[in-house]
Amino acid sequence: MLEVKDYSKQELADALYAGNIKPESRLKKLWLEVSGCPELMADLRRLHYHTGDSGYTAQMVERIKYWLCID
């Protein structure tokens, strides 16, 4: 279960994919999933997210969990 809190992008990728993806590929996988969901990207933009940001706020993580169906 993913805790709703602030994460750096790498921390979130590691938390989501630690068991099944090589460490060097996790961040790319997270970006592909997030950017591949237009509704999620729209939600993140409403929360003032920019692609160059270093992490996600707890509110953004909550939206990521919702749109990517993560428990």
Side-chain angles (χ1 to χ4, degrees):
M1 176 142 207
L2 183 65
E3 184 179 348
V4 176
K5 65 175 190 167
D6 292 355
Y7 286 92
S8 73
K9 288 181 178 179
Q10 188 65 58
E11 287 173 334
L12 183 58
D14 290 343
L16 291 174
Y17 309 116
N20 57 353
I21 296 178
K22 296 184 295 186
E24 59 272 13
S25 301
R26 293 175 189 162
L27 197 55
K28 183 177 181 179
K29 171 75 171 162
L30 176 62
W31 172 245
L32 289 173
E33 288 198 18
V34 169
S35 64
C37 180
E39 296 89 353
L40 172 55
M41 288 302 293
D43 258 1
L44 292 177
R45 280 189 217 99
R46 279 191 290 277
L47 297 171
H48 307 288
Y49 171 76
H50 303 283
T51 55
D53 292 350
S54 61
Y56 299 103
T57 65
Q59 196 173 17
M60 291 174 185
V61 171
E62 190 174 302
R63 300 315 301 158
I64 290 169
K65 286 180 64 170
Y66 173 79
W67 285 110
L68 298 182
C69 302
I70 299 168
D71 289 330

